[in-house]
Amino acid sequence: MKDWVREAERLRADFPILSQRHPSGAPLVYLDNAATAQKPQVVIETLARFLKERNSNIHRGVHWLSQEATALYEAARETVAEFIGAESAEEIVFVRGATEGINLIAQGLRRAYFGPGDEILLTQAEHHANIVPWQLVEEELSIKLRPIPLREDGSFDWVEFHAALSPHTRLIAITAMSNVLGTEMPIAEIAHVARQRGIPVLVDACQAVVHRPISVKEWGVDFLVFSGHKLYGPTGIGVVYLRRPWGEKLPPYQGGGDMIRRVSWEKTLFAPPPAKFEAGTPAIAEAIAFAEAIRYLHQRVGWDFIQAYEQYLSDYAEQRLGNIPTLKLYGTARPRGSLWSFTLEEVHPHDAGTFLDQAGIAVRVGHHCAQPLMDAMGVPATIRASFAFYNLPSEIDHLAHSLERVVEFFSPVG
Ligand code: PLP
């Protein structure tokens, strides 16, 4: 254990932002990693170095800088393909983030796949990014969303799943890990059932991809999305995985430069995927810095450490927070990622969040862009503490002590 903590302390030094103090003078305790993760120095440097030394637009230039930028951007695509076990870099489309990714797929399926009466199966735990894009399609095509309730402990409910499956099911769109509960969904098993019925599967891997290695090939899924900024990379860059031949089948999401083979007034021919889905100038520097974040994770941190240490932090937090009498933890099922949502009796999450902020602790409070799940849980909001491999058990102690003070502060006098 001590070795793990020493390793976390060593890695922590790679993240300049973490050595700051809160304006109150308290040391900064960053426990909002599920919203966005902090960036290691190498990622910051890669971003800056590209802008200082190689900045140029890609694909269209014959000059040195443009060719260098193109090579770096396309190498980043290769890095991402390898990272998620895709068969080829052509299955990887760069977008702004998971939200844009799901919109890209939803609009493509709207035009080339769905018909009236089709149904999409999701869980009740989806992020709004995996609900609203489908509702936009629902409005136009009279398709239907079928959300499956989770079990009491936050785990996937196979009985509900099988009850909801029908000959009308045309897509399963599901999160691999709830951003509120932290519970993992059995994606490989779901995809296995789906394959037998010829139903494509879309995975929102935003949270899962941060905590565990992922292989789209092993999972056997058709679509997968995630955002770079939650994975220690910059904002403004995200990934869509389109298993072949979906890239060929789906029409482009946006039109413009760089996604065409030939444009004339009569007809435009599109470039093959992935270029077909990347109209206009993409986030070049961000894609390149994101690839650096992936290398950093592999080469400097390693999945073995991430999985073992984050599990330890999660268990430690469960134990420390679980000892606070008026605190309720949500979603205790395993396997799970390293985050906990909870409420305190008689204390509004926003009051708790503000109090914790004064102690230098950054947590997220609110509905976490999962209002249907909040409705199912019967609460308007929770407090969420989410951990990364650079967090320390002493920070969890600080959180637990501060929460005890919150309880004391808000307890009715006399
Ligand atoms: N899906 C999940 C599970 C998330 O946690 C988030 C972000 O919180 C998103 C989708 C949306 O990600 P982004 O805002 O980066 O597009």
Side-chain angles (χ1 to χ4, degrees):
M1 204 68 57
K2 268 197 194 137
D3 286 352
W4 281 352
V5 176
R6 253 199 303 274
E7 177 66 1
E9 275 164 351
R10 185 177 74 93
L11 292 168
R12 203 178 160 78
D14 295 340
F15 293 79
I17 203 168
L18 297 176
S19 57
Q20 288 188 113
R21 283 189 171 263
H22 184 273
S24 68
L28 182 64
V29 173
Y30 188 75
L31 302 179
D32 194 17
N33 295 285
T36 198
Q38 298 303 348
K39 322 302 172 199
Q41 184 67 26
V42 281
V43 169
I44 299 166
E45 275 168 13
T46 302
L47 196 60
R49 194 174 336 113
F50 177 81
L51 295 175
K52 277 199 284 194
E53 297 174 5
R54 292 291 184 276
N55 180 51
S56 179
N57 212 330
I58 54 169
H59 294 152
R60 296 178 284 264
V62 292
H63 59 80
W64 167 64
L65 278 178
S66 176
Q67 296 202 359
E68 286 277 308
T70 303
L72 288 167
Y73 181 78
E74 292 305 330
R77 200 191 302 279
E78 297 274 353
T79 302
V80 170
E82 210 177 301
F83 178 63
I84 59 166
E87 223 150 65
S88 129
E90 280 143 36
E91 295 174 315
I92 304 298
V93 177
F94 282 129
V95 285
R96 274 192 303 136
T99 302
E100 184 174 51
I102 298 176
N103 277 281
L104 180 155
I105 298 164
Q107 288 306 313
L109 292 175
R110 175 182 70 82
R111 290 172 54 205
Y113 178 71
F114 287 131
D118 285 352
E119 293 185 358
I120 304 174
L121 244 64
L122 323 90
T123 72
Q124 240 171 15
E126 302 308 322
H127 188 281
H128 296 165
N130 196 29
I131 299 175
V132 186
W134 306 114
Q135 287 177 329
L136 296 177
V137 180
E138 193 177 28
E139 270 174 23
E140 276 185 57
L141 286 187
S142 40
I143 61 164
K144 200 164 166 231
L145 305 194
R146 298 276 310 250
I148 323 166
L150 298 177
R151 287 156 49 132
E152 185 66 28
D153 64 359
S155 59
F156 187 74
D157 193 328
W158 282 103
V159 176
E160 293 282 357
F161 173 69
H162 282 291
L165 266 182
S166 86
H168 300 293
T169 312
R170 289 274 281 163
L171 177 74
I172 296 170
I174 186 168
T175 183
M177 183 184 289
S178 161
N179 65 311
V180 176
L181 305 172
T183 36
E184 281 188 39
M185 301 298 151
I187 300 297
E189 292 80 359
I190 293 168
H192 180 73
V193 175
R195 238 185 347 270
Q196 287 172 332
R197 293 170 175 249
I199 305 166
V201 175
L202 178 150
V203 177
D204 173 357
C206 261
Q207 297 294 334
V209 76
V210 181
H211 301 291
R212 49 162 294 169
I214 275 178
S215 164
V216 286
K217 224 179 323 171
E218 274 171 32
W219 271 355
V221 297
D222 299 79
F223 310 104
L224 182 130
V225 298
F226 59 99
S227 296
H229 68 95
K230 293 185 198 285
L231 197 62
Y232 311 98
T235 49
I237 186 74
V239 171
V240 173
Y241 161 75
L242 297 173
R243 189 157 78 115
R244 276 198 189 120
W246 281 109
E248 279 80 21
K249 281 202 233 169
L250 293 190
Y253 170 53
Q254 295 177 329
D258 221 26
M259 50 78 77
I260 52 88
R261 202 195 296 275
R262 176 84 178 92
V263 176
S264 72
W265 293 120
E266 289 72 37
K267 186 171 173 59
T268 288
L269 298 174
F270 304 126
K276 181 167 105 179
F277 300 102
E278 293 182 7
T281 301
I284 305 166
E286 289 78 3
I288 293 163
F290 176 45
E292 192 59 39
I294 292 175
R295 272 191 292 280
Y296 171 83
L297 278 188
H298 271 166
Q299 293 167 12
R300 171 121 170 124
V301 192
W303 280 123
D304 288 350
F305 178 71
I306 293 175
Q307 287 189 281
Y309 182 64
E310 288 186 353
Q311 187 61 57
Y312 159 71
L313 285 180
S314 176
D315 292 348
Y316 187 64
E318 182 178 20
Q319 180 209 324
R320 290 297 270 114
L321 302 181
N323 281 339
I324 300 171
T326 55
L327 186 147
K328 177 173 177 185
L329 290 171
Y330 292 88
T332 48
R334 275 146 214 275
R336 62 189 335 287
S338 57
L339 64 87
W340 284 105
S341 267
F342 52 92
T343 48
L344 294 169
E345 256 172 50
E346 309 295 336
V347 185
H348 194 282
H350 283 85
D351 291 336
T354 307
F355 194 103
L356 292 174
D357 176 53
Q358 285 309 303
I361 302 171
V363 292
R364 185 133 302 237
V365 291
H367 53 63
H368 315 295
C369 297
Q371 283 178 331
L373 177 61
M374 295 287 134
D375 291 344
M377 287 160 56
V379 290
T382 70
I383 307 160
R384 182 186 69 188
S386 51
F387 313 110
F389 57 77
Y390 46 58
N391 286 124
L392 302 171
S394 56
E395 293 180 305
I396 293 173
D397 290 335
H398 186 33
L399 172 68
H401 285 139
S402 304
L403 285 168
E404 280 158 5
R405 283 179 43 227
V406 172
V407 171
E408 219 175 275
F409 185 82
F410 285 96
S411 69
V413 184

